[in-house]
């Protein structure tokens, strides 16, 4: 947003400040590849400073709370900052403390996450010497960022153990609170087929109550149990505690936001973007990127006293790594679920939707370059529009 706004707002009238507590920005999609030694640690992190546009202030501070009534941010160090317009972009993070028994001596020993840099790196060290057994890949509750990442983890685990010549020593089970492999029915059908093909068992409708680490099992509210030797879990995802302290979030600390304009429901001069919102869109980098293009225009409209454009349609575009050098691509929005077809050029591709291909895998690997060089810098990706296009997609005919 800072990159977009730096180019859009008159320099003499507007001062842009980014407040972030971290020195390092992580390429989180790379956390999927780190455990399998496909990416090295240094490929997934860079200094935040590298990405701050000229003329934009960077404050490396933790935000304690937002005082919406006085248009002020209170920092952890006691200082405060006034604002005319605020964009909340504090993302989401894992909250393993929300599940009874998830944290303890076993955390990052037999129970791992791969949604943090530390988790993914510790899991890599574990997988390097693990001799096999029951691997359970688990989602605690929805929504989570990148809802396909746990499935991708299961697929990559299958190909990792085949390559190591020990697939027969590993039983892989995918445990989810959803009633199928994914949130959308058509994609679920394709993905269930792949799970079956790769001999990955699925336990759906599993609403975890606790981790019984002493007995290596997870237990759900209905009393169902799943045994594990190695549990790779995606804990509850929550917005930052600062949102709760500010009294502006829902029960998971996500910010109530208008799903089409990206203006929050807290106050007219507060907007939100990315994983921090409560939008019914996927929490994904691609979504944040599309939102930014639309939010930039709405910020200008807000400043000029014009009506905001109700333009964001929930557009998400995600590669799903399926192992053995292949991937699927899905493109969807609030109203259209992923279907087969070609992307970005109708009838040409070169990427195929909802279908495994090597080209899609190359796309997934290229995404790291696109992320560092285009997404973070707010550059438009040629031929990929912020809202979803229908051309080249095989939608079923609307019922009469
Ligand atoms: C394993 C994994 C795989 C993924 N794969 C994909 C993929 O293939 N494609 C895709 O599009 N997306 C993917 N994603 C999701 C993507 O990484 C996120 O959706 C994206 O990073 C969200 O961006 P954001 O700016 O909203 O939040 P973040 O990138 O999380 O940034 C939030 C920032 O806010 C700062 N912050 C938070 N609280 C405070 C505070 N109190 N004070 C100061 N600073 C604060 C943090 O330090 C952080 O820098 C994946 C995520 C994971 C974990």
């Amino acid at each position: 947003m800072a990159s977009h706004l730096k180019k859009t707002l008159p320099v003499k009238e507007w001062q842009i400040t980014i407040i972030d507590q971290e020195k390092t920005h992580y390429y989180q999609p790379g956390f999927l590849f780190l455990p399998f030694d496909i990416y090295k640690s240094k490929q997934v992190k860079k200094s935040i400073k590298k990405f701050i546009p000229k003329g934009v202030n960077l404050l490396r501070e933790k935000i304690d709370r937002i005082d919406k009534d006085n248009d002020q941010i209170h920092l952890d160090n006691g200082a405060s900052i006034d604002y005319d317009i605020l964009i909340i972009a504090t993302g989401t993070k894992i909250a393993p403390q929300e599940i009874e028994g998830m944290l303890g001596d076993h955390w990052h020993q037999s129970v791992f996450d791969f949604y943090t840099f530390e988790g993914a790196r510790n899991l890599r060290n574990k997988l390097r010497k693990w001799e096999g057994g029951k691997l359970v890949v688990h989602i605690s509750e929805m929504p989570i960022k990148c809802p396909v990442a746990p499935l991708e983890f299961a697929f990559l685990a299958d190909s990792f153990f085949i390559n190591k010549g020990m697939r027969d020593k590993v039983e892989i089970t995918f445990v989810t609170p959803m009633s199928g492999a994914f949130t959308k029915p058509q994609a679920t059908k394709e993905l269930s087929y792949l799970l079956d093909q790769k001999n990955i068992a699925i336990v759906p409708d599993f609403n975890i109550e606790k981790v019984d680490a002493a007995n290596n099992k997870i237990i759900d509210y209905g009393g169902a149990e799943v045994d594990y030797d190695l549990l790779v879990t995606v804990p509850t995802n929550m917005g930052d505690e600062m949102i709760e302290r500010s009294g502006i979030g829902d029960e998971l600390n996500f910010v109530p936001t208008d799903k089409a304009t990206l203006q929050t429901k807290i106050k007219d001069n507060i907007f939100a973007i990315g994983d921090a919102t409560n939008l019914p869109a996927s929490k994904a980098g691609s979504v944040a990127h599309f939102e930014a293009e639309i939010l930039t225009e709405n910020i200008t409209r807000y400043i000029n006293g014009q009506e905001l454009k109700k333009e964001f349609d929930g557009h998400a575009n995600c590669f799903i790594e399926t192992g053995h050098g292949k991937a699927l691509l899905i493109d969807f929005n609030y109203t259209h679920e992923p279907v087969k077809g070609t992307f970005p050029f109708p009838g040409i591709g070169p990427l195929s939707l909802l279908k495994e291909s090597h080209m899609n895998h190359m796309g997934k690997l290229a995404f790291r370059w696109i992320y560092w060089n285009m997404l973070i810098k707010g550059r438009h990706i040629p031929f990929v529009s912020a809202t979803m296009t229908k051309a080249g997609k095989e939608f079923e005919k609307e019922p009469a």
Side-chain angles (χ1 to χ4, degrees):
M1 281 309 297
S3 295
H4 280 298
L5 293 173
K6 191 67 206 155
K7 286 181 228 142
T8 321
L9 302 181
V11 182
K12 289 199 179 126
E13 291 167 35
W14 289 92
Q15 196 181 53
I16 303 173
T17 301
I18 298 178
I19 310 172
D20 198 310
Q21 62 205 355
E22 299 289 342
K23 260 204 308 228
T24 306
H25 183 83
Y26 292 99
Y27 171 59
Q28 297 177 42
F31 295 169
L32 174 71
F33 295 110
L34 210 51
F36 302 109
D37 264 325
I38 299 171
Y39 283 171
K40 304 272 165 275
S41 301
K42 64 172 192 253
Q43 290 175 298
V44 302
K45 52 184 200 167
K46 288 188 199 281
S47 163
I48 286 187
K49 266 197 196 147
K50 254 182 90 108
F51 300 99
I52 307 301
K54 223 169 145 227
V56 169
N57 311 317
L58 172 66
L59 266 186
R60 209 194 127 211
E61 294 294 343
K62 186 172 176 183
I63 301 160
D64 176 53
R65 121 191 116 77
I66 296 164
D67 177 358
K68 64 176 168 51
D69 297 326
N70 294 303
D71 298 334
Q72 270 190 332
I73 300 283
H74 295 287
L75 302 177
D76 213 35
N77 67 8
S80 342
I81 293 171
D82 297 327
Y83 62 81
D84 295 300
I85 294 176
L86 176 67
I87 301 172
I88 302 177
T90 41
T92 175
K93 57 185 180 182
I94 59 162
Q97 70 279 4
E98 291 291 307
I99 308 289
E100 187 186 329
M102 194 169 271
L103 290 177
D105 293 343
H106 47 276
W107 184 245
H108 291 184
Q109 296 298 325
S110 58
V111 180
F112 289 82
D113 78 283
F114 67 100
Y115 267 44
T116 57
F117 179 67
E118 295 71 28
R121 210 179 34 176
N122 290 339
L123 182 53
R124 175 199 64 191
N125 297 341
K126 175 80 178 185
L127 287 177
R128 278 180 183 170
K129 51 184 194 323
W130 195 52
E131 286 173 356
K134 291 184 173 130
L135 167 66
V136 172
V137 183
H138 166 250
I139 301 173
S140 296
E141 64 175 304
M142 299 301 286
I144 57 169
K145 57 183 147 188
C146 197
V148 292
L151 260 180
E152 294 182 279
F153 187 92
F155 292 148
L156 283 179
D158 167 69
S159 90
F160 175 77
F161 293 120
I162 290 176
N163 292 339
K164 277 186 110 181
M166 56 179 282
R167 182 63 179 91
D168 56 333
K169 296 199 179 77
V170 182
E171 211 178 278
I172 309 178
T173 309
F174 183 72
V175 182
T176 170
M178 293 180 278
S179 51
F182 190 51
T183 48
K184 314 265 174 187
Q186 288 220 34
T188 297
K189 215 167 98 192
E190 297 295 324
L191 294 165
S192 307
Y193 169 75
L194 286 174
L195 284 170
D196 209 35
Q197 197 188 46
K198 294 171 193 297
N199 198 17
I200 299 170
I202 174 163
V203 179
D205 301 313
F206 191 94
N207 293 304
I208 189 166
E209 182 190 359
K210 60 182 170 191
V211 177
D212 176 358
N215 295 302
N216 281 15
K217 52 176 75 161
I218 48 175
I219 303 170
D220 92 341
Y221 281 101
E225 298 182 352
V226 177
D227 295 330
Y228 65 82
D229 294 305
L230 178 59
L231 176 65
V232 176
T233 184
V234 180
T236 306
N237 277 209
M238 291 181 78
D240 195 73
E241 298 87 353
M242 171 278 290
I243 302 287
E244 187 179 4
R245 284 194 294 275
S246 312
I248 55 172
D250 63 14
E251 69 285 0
L252 287 172
N253 299 343
F254 294 127
V255 182
T257 307
D258 184 287
K259 67 181 201 167
T261 65
L262 305 172
Q263 186 177 45
T264 66
K265 296 179 181 169
I266 308 161
K267 203 173 167 185
D268 285 358
N269 65 343
I270 307 183
F271 296 81
I273 187 170
D275 294 353
T277 72
N278 75 337
L279 300 191
S282 268
K283 293 193 183 297
S286 61
V287 173
H289 176 78
F290 299 139
E291 287 172 340
E293 295 191 358
I294 286 161
L295 183 54
T296 303
E297 181 169 357
N298 271 347
I299 298 275
T300 311
R301 284 174 166 263
Y302 173 78
I303 292 169
N304 295 334
Q306 293 165 312
E307 198 184 329
L308 303 187
K309 262 196 172 172
K310 293 188 181 2
E311 199 180 356
F312 185 59
D313 64 351
H315 187 198
N317 185 275
C318 303
F319 289 100
I320 307 178
E321 195 62 19
T322 54
H324 305 288
K326 290 188 185 170
L328 294 167
L329 176 64
I330 52 174
D331 194 59
F332 56 102
N333 68 7
Y334 291 139
T335 47
H336 290 88
E337 53 171 307
V339 289
K340 291 212 164 110
T342 53
F343 187 88
F345 300 110
I348 298 172
L351 303 174
S352 35
L353 293 168
L354 209 52
K355 195 169 152 214
E356 270 189 303
S357 77
H358 290 293
M359 186 59 103
N360 288 344
H361 168 68
M362 300 314 288
K364 175 93 184 182
L365 296 185
F367 187 59
R368 183 162 57 96
W369 187 92
I370 293 172
Y371 185 90
W372 290 126
N373 295 287
M374 305 187 85
L375 260 62
I376 290 288
K377 295 180 178 170
R379 291 197 178 133
H380 180 72
I381 306 173
F383 314 112
V384 180
S385 65
T387 51
M388 182 178 158
T389 51
K390 290 194 198 160
K393 294 177 186 133
E394 298 167 15
F395 292 109
E396 274 178 22
K397 283 208 173 74
E398 303 277 339

